[in-house]
Amino acid sequence: MRIAIDAMGGDNAPKEIVLGVMKAAAQYKDVEFLLFGDEVKINEYLADKTRIQIIHTDEKIESDDEPVRAVKRKKRASMVLAAQAVKDGEADACISAGNTGALMATGLFVIGRIKGIDRPALAPTLPTVTGKGFVMLDLGANSEAKPEHLLQFGLMGSVYAEKVRKIERPRVALLNIGTEETKGNDLTKRAFELMKNQDVYHFVGNVESRDIMMDVADVIVTDGFTGNMVLKSIEGTAGAFFSLMKMSLMNGFKNKIAASFLKKDLMELKAKMDYSEYGGACLFGVQAPVIKAHGSSNANAIFSTVRQARDMVQKQVVETIITEVASGHLKAEQDKANQEGGTKDE
């Protein structure tokens, strides 16, 4: 197995990218790594080149580059070359911690979309109070969505949860403002009907945003605009919570003594709430595993993302999605719903 890595993407590149890859290479003897980026800078941190190959390029996509334009103009960028290696069959998966929009554009334009999947979806695994976690999509690949897109998101998330997260018959839920079937806007009402009537995956109904971290579902589906706001709200709330807790525990001698006893437990709690421990966000809907690592990823986060990519390749996640879409079961439900919707409109 070969995994292509954009060594220049992210806030801590290339140091943390290289350290994470070396850790993964030591752990996974069945994986070879292709590192794309500035060879001189990469070699500063590459102490062990076992099963690691460097493909030099001095061009990279910056965080403030306009995604589509950058992908089209910077043909020799480390991110683009990593994706091209997958397209050419030289690698089985692609990882980058760089510009999210550019990686999505690269996945679509270079690797290509799965036939039958209308829109890609960005899907990280988020934490729950039980430590089990859940897959949520879309979290930013599309600002708008149609009901049939949410139907397809449910399929892709379900396949990933079953194959990689080893969850038998994953529970797929639709994010809504209430659990009742009649709640929501036109998008969620129509998506609910589509998801309820299909038998490809296990749909359990609507969930509210306040409950998503309470282990109510294994896969939660929403449009990218809503999903991205939910993600940022979770990040902001978690950050504010730990800041307030730190301020409280450091305020006064007795509190500092208590903090010294609680330090280990608090660190474990913080790690439990850190979704980078689950790996990166998968870009579902393209013809090979493409994973977006967090922009501030350290070596451990890169290691987790490599593990995730390895699992996706081994468990043939993309191939399973392609097979399920090709079966036509979801398409039949979409066509049926569209016909019924046309009749009602008339």
Side-chain angles (χ1 to χ4, degrees):
M1 185 191 305
R2 284 186 166 191
I3 298 178
I5 311 282
D6 169 17
M8 309 310 292
D11 302 336
N12 303 313
K15 180 180 179 180
E16 296 299 324
I17 310 297
V18 173
L19 295 179
V21 168
M22 284 195 298
K23 182 178 179 180
Q27 177 73 23
Y28 303 119
K29 308 297 184 182
D30 57 345
V31 182
E32 294 180 7
F33 298 91
L34 305 179
L35 285 179
F36 294 83
D38 188 314
E39 187 170 12
V40 174
K41 293 180 179 179
I42 291 172
N43 276 325
E44 287 182 31
Y45 309 104
L46 191 59
D48 186 353
K49 295 186 178 181
T50 304
R51 299 189 315 282
I52 299 175
Q53 178 184 351
I54 302 173
I55 297 86
H56 174 74
T57 179
D58 54 10
E59 192 170 43
K60 68 175 182 176
I61 293 178
E62 305 290 349
S63 60
D64 57 352
D65 278 344
E66 197 283 318
V68 175
R69 185 178 301 170
V71 171
K72 290 182 176 180
R73 291 184 177 181
K74 295 184 175 181
K75 302 291 187 182
R76 296 289 302 170
S78 52
M79 180 190 294
V80 177
L81 292 180
Q84 190 63 50
V86 176
K87 176 68 174 179
D88 295 340
E90 297 171 0
D92 302 292
C94 171
I95 294 173
S96 175
N99 186 312
T100 303
L103 184 62
M104 290 189 290
T106 301
L108 285 173
F109 298 148
V110 179
I111 297 175
R113 181 170 51 86
I114 294 172
K115 185 178 180 181
I117 295 294
D118 298 323
R119 297 280 182 87
L122 202 59
T125 298
L126 301 179
T128 59
V129 293
T130 62
K132 184 179 179 182
F134 67 97
V135 181
M136 190 169 181
L137 65 166
D138 175 26
L139 265 64
N142 312 279
S143 59
E144 296 180 356
K146 296 180 179 179
E148 53 266 32
H149 301 157
L150 301 189
L151 176 71
Q152 295 167 5
F153 294 169
L155 167 64
M156 295 189 290
S158 179
V159 170
Y160 178 81
E162 181 178 354
K163 295 286 186 179
V164 175
R165 308 208 66 240
K166 301 177 178 64
I167 299 172
E168 186 176 351
R169 203 164 179 254
R171 300 162 296 165
V172 180
L174 177 65
L175 186 65
N176 209 333
I177 59 172
T179 57
E180 300 88 346
E181 183 174 341
T182 55
K183 286 291 183 71
N185 56 18
D186 184 59
L187 171 64
T188 54
K189 288 177 182 177
R190 290 171 59 196
F192 187 98
E193 287 299 315
L194 284 176
M195 298 172 80
K196 179 181 70 173
N197 291 323
Q198 58 76 40
D199 57 3
V200 180
Y201 54 84
H202 180 40
F203 180 58
V204 296
N206 291 325
V207 297
E208 297 183 58
S209 58
R210 66 182 180 186
D211 297 324
I212 61 176
M213 299 181 73
M214 304 304 292
D215 196 22
V216 293
D218 304 302
V219 178
I220 296 179
V221 173
T222 187
D223 63 275
F225 183 82
T226 304
N228 193 264
M229 287 200 297
V230 169
L231 176 64
K232 298 295 173 60
S233 295
I234 291 174
E235 289 179 332
T237 302
F241 172 77
F242 282 107
S243 294
L244 287 171
M245 183 175 288
K246 183 177 181 180
M247 289 170 57
S248 178
L249 290 173
M250 292 297 101
N251 185 21
F253 178 74
K254 288 191 295 183
N255 287 4
K256 290 180 180 179
I257 295 296
S260 66
F261 288 101
L262 292 171
K263 183 177 180 179
K264 181 180 178 182
D265 295 315
L266 292 174
M267 292 301 291
E268 289 177 355
L269 176 61
K270 188 174 183 179
K272 193 175 183 180
M273 296 299 293
D274 182 7
Y275 64 85
S276 67
E277 293 294 322
Y278 296 96
C282 304
L283 181 62
F284 289 131
V286 293
Q287 296 182 29
V290 175
I291 304 178
K292 169 64 174 72
H294 200 284
S296 60
S297 290
N298 57 19
N300 286 332
I302 295 300
F303 171 79
S304 298
T305 307
V306 169
R307 180 186 64 216
Q308 182 183 16
R310 176 176 176 269
D311 285 344
M312 287 186 71
V313 175
Q314 283 190 334
K315 303 299 171 56
Q316 298 185 313
V317 170
V318 173
E319 291 83 350
T320 303
I321 291 172
I322 292 172
T323 300
E324 291 288 356
V325 172
S327 71
H329 293 145
L330 290 186
K331 185 68 166 59
E333 284 300 327
Q334 291 173 212
D335 292 342
K336 180 182 175 183
N338 290 335
Q339 289 173 4
E340 292 176 352
T343 303
K344 290 176 183 177
D345 290 341
E346 292 170 6

